[in-house]
Amino acid sequence: SLRSFALAAAAFSAGWSLMMMEILGGRLMAPHFGYSVYQWGAVIGVVMTFMAAGYWTGGQLGDGPKAVPALRAALMAGIAAAALTPWLGKPMLADAAGRFNAVEGSVVGAALILGLPSFALAMVSPICAGLSSLTGAAAAGRIYAVGTLGSIGGTFFASFYAIPEVGVSAGYALAAVLPALACLFVPGGKRVAAAAALAVPLAWAAGHGEGQGFALYRETPHNTIMVQEDAEQIRLHLNVAWATQSRLRKDGGPTGLYYDLFAAAPALGNGTRVLVLGLAGGAAAKEILDSWPGADILGVELDPAVVEVARERFGLRPEVRVAVEDARRHVERSPEQHDVVIVDLYSTALIPFFTATKEFFTAVERRVAPGGVLVMNVASPMDRDALVGPLAATQGAVFPSVYVADAGRGNYLLIATKEARTLEELSVRLRAAPAGAAYAASRILETLAPAELAGHPVLTDDRSDIDQRSLTALYGR
């Protein structure tokens, strides 16, 4: 019957829209709070909390006289949230990030952008179950099954189509479409549907401002890719504009950032076979090739769109081989060995936990050839010991010698050797670096020292607090 269809459509659309907004909300929060376990824990926890309140409220209304008006209102609230979040969400999240630390702020931010739609759209299924022509468990089971199917569809649609194909803001517009259509079949809902029709272009319009001020702006399943370019330099940013993944000066000079120091990395090993985990725009590859012509470089990068940008915008040279693959998967499965393995892996300014554990470094050690080295960039501007010590201790559980050098501007290089090496042995190698790498070698020599391993935890796949440590290292709180 039309009534049964209307109720099923309302439940399906509510589940679809809510899960779309949950996925989109995580992406919207990332520039402020990262992709850490805390951020996703906050998103899921907040959504479930407000859904519980919505289920309770919807169940209390049941099939009473206020049920149908409440159903219309709940759908309209979800539509309004989808329309307004692209406009209001970013300033609210920025304000929360300024007022709270990253852990607390992620909970507050999630509540600000997801609390209302989670509560409102969760009301829909119990109201529809109460209004159904069926009774008892049969009505609840059928309605909640349909709503769950909608949630499944919204999850896949947001993840595999909306974000990579049309972007986050337009994705919110699409999240409003199905609830707006469902209103057409709800008694008295045609006026609501007419008002909702205005919400879709409102959310869609928010996307037109995205990318302004960037030479390139692109949404992918893995990243928001941003390129800034001026007469002197070009910079690559992934997900957050304040963190630079690659920087190249157009005159070919040193950038003044840690990338410059990678030019000396082959001097520490026994050859020029180099693996770069976290290729980004190819700054490390460029520095090495400039100083070591003929070096065999393999870059590993998760996002194929980043590789395209590196080739097209950053001049990544054709001789640099690229594997589009997860870094951990690569080191666990690849049979190749390399004289130098560079690890520069970040996701929204945070090191993914599974690329900073004893198990990961064990796999990396197998990729390091005899006499070779691991060189890892660690960004820890606010609290050096929050990350450098634990990561050094974790590498020390696998490699016989671990050293640290200050790369400037809050970055540090951890250097782990395949065989035991003394500080003097590494210093001799650096002093013998070719002219093109002399600047980088001298910079490393200035601060190179044995890393302090004692008293720091060894991070494992089973137990790692690197998310919290990364937030402390970046923000100091």
Side-chain angles (χ1 to χ4, degrees):
S1 68
L2 181 60
R3 179 186 180 89
S4 297
F5 174 81
L7 296 175
F12 184 90
S13 70
W16 176 286
S17 183
L18 177 54
M19 288 309 300
M20 278 198 70
M21 283 191 272
E22 183 173 354
I23 300 296
L24 294 166
R27 191 61 170 260
L28 198 67
M29 290 173 63
H32 305 281
F33 308 109
Y35 272 139
S36 72
V37 66
Y38 298 105
Q39 185 250 28
W40 280 110
V43 168
I44 295 169
V46 163
V47 168
M48 297 300 290
T49 298
F50 280 88
M51 284 182 68
Y55 286 146
W56 178 274
T57 304
Q60 293 296 106
L61 292 169
D63 58 353
K66 296 182 179 179
V68 173
L71 177 60
R72 293 195 300 263
L75 290 172
M76 190 62 211
I79 294 166
L84 295 175
T85 298
W87 295 97
L88 302 180
K90 293 177 183 178
M92 289 193 299
L93 292 171
D95 182 67
R99 293 175 181 269
F100 303 94
N101 65 36
V103 176
E104 296 167 350
S106 62
V107 176
V108 174
L112 287 172
I113 66 171
L114 291 167
L116 172 62
S118 299
F119 173 78
L121 294 175
M123 291 174 57
V124 172
S125 286
I127 291 175
C128 289
L131 293 172
S132 173
S133 57
L134 298 176
T135 58
R142 183 172 298 182
I143 290 296
Y144 277 89
V146 171
T148 301
L149 288 175
S151 298
I152 295 169
T155 300
F156 282 109
F157 186 79
S159 302
F160 294 96
Y161 177 77
I163 290 174
E165 297 298 330
V166 300
V168 173
S169 296
Y172 274 101
L174 296 176
V177 170
L178 284 188
L181 292 175
C183 286
L184 292 173
F185 303 98
V186 174
K190 289 185 172 58
R191 291 182 180 179
V192 175
L198 300 176
V200 176
L202 178 64
W204 194 279
H208 290 295
E210 299 287 3
Q212 290 185 356
F214 294 99
L216 180 146
Y217 185 95
R218 183 182 303 173
E219 295 273 4
T220 79
H222 303 288
N223 297 293
T224 299
I225 302 173
M226 297 164 280
V227 175
Q228 290 185 319
E229 185 173 3
D230 56 35
E232 297 179 352
Q233 63 182 338
I234 181 169
R235 300 187 304 277
L236 173 67
H237 310 278
L238 299 179
N239 302 308
V240 291
W242 55 264
T244 302
Q245 271 65 41
S246 288
R247 177 184 177 186
L248 294 177
R249 276 177 45 172
K250 293 185 177 179
D251 64 3
T255 65
L257 302 177
Y258 71 91
Y259 321 113
D260 299 338
L261 305 193
F262 288 137
L268 296 165
N270 277 349
T272 56
R273 296 172 298 169
V274 181
L275 173 65
V276 181
L277 301 176
L279 181 66
K286 176 188 180 301
E287 295 295 340
I288 292 170
L289 284 172
D290 286 348
S291 302
W292 306 82
D296 177 17
I297 300 179
L298 171 62
V300 177
E301 177 57 52
L302 178 64
D303 193 338
V306 170
V307 178
E308 293 177 11
V309 171
R311 298 283 193 199
E312 297 169 4
R313 296 289 184 130
F314 288 80
L316 182 65
R317 300 180 194 179
E319 60 264 38
V320 177
R321 297 181 292 133
V322 177
V324 178
E325 191 175 11
D326 176 79
R328 176 149 175 179
R329 180 185 295 268
H330 179 85
V331 295
E332 288 179 340
R333 299 188 178 189
S334 172
E336 288 192 59
Q337 284 197 316
H338 310 268
D339 302 302
V340 179
V341 176
I342 292 173
V343 177
D344 192 14
L345 296 167
Y346 282 84
S347 176
T348 314
L350 303 182
I351 300 173
F353 92 91
F354 54 88
T355 64
T357 63
K358 181 181 177 181
E359 292 84 353
F360 171 73
F361 291 121
T362 298
V364 170
E365 192 272 341
R366 291 195 292 268
R367 304 281 69 78
V368 179
V373 294
L374 158 69
V375 181
M376 181 179 188
N377 168 53
V378 181
S380 196
M382 299 301 294
D383 188 337
R384 175 186 185 274
D385 291 336
L387 280 180
V388 172
L391 288 171
T394 304
Q395 291 180 9
V398 177
F399 291 87
S401 301
V402 183
Y403 294 85
V404 62
D406 189 338
R409 300 193 181 189
N411 287 84
Y412 300 87
L413 296 184
L414 286 175
I415 300 168
T417 61
K418 181 83 169 183
E419 294 83 24
R421 300 282 186 197
T422 66
L423 179 60
E424 181 58 29
E425 286 175 320
L426 292 182
S427 299
V428 168
R429 288 171 176 263
L430 288 169
R431 293 189 188 102
Y439 166 77
S442 65
R443 284 275 310 278
I444 293 175
L445 275 168
E446 289 174 1
T447 59
L448 186 64
E452 297 180 5
L453 311 185
H456 295 289
V458 173
L459 308 178
T460 67
D461 286 352
D462 182 65
R463 188 168 185 176
S464 173
D465 60 351
I466 195 170
D467 288 324
Q468 176 63 63
R469 290 182 175 276
S470 295
L471 295 173
T472 301
L474 288 174
Y475 303 108
R477 52 176 179 160

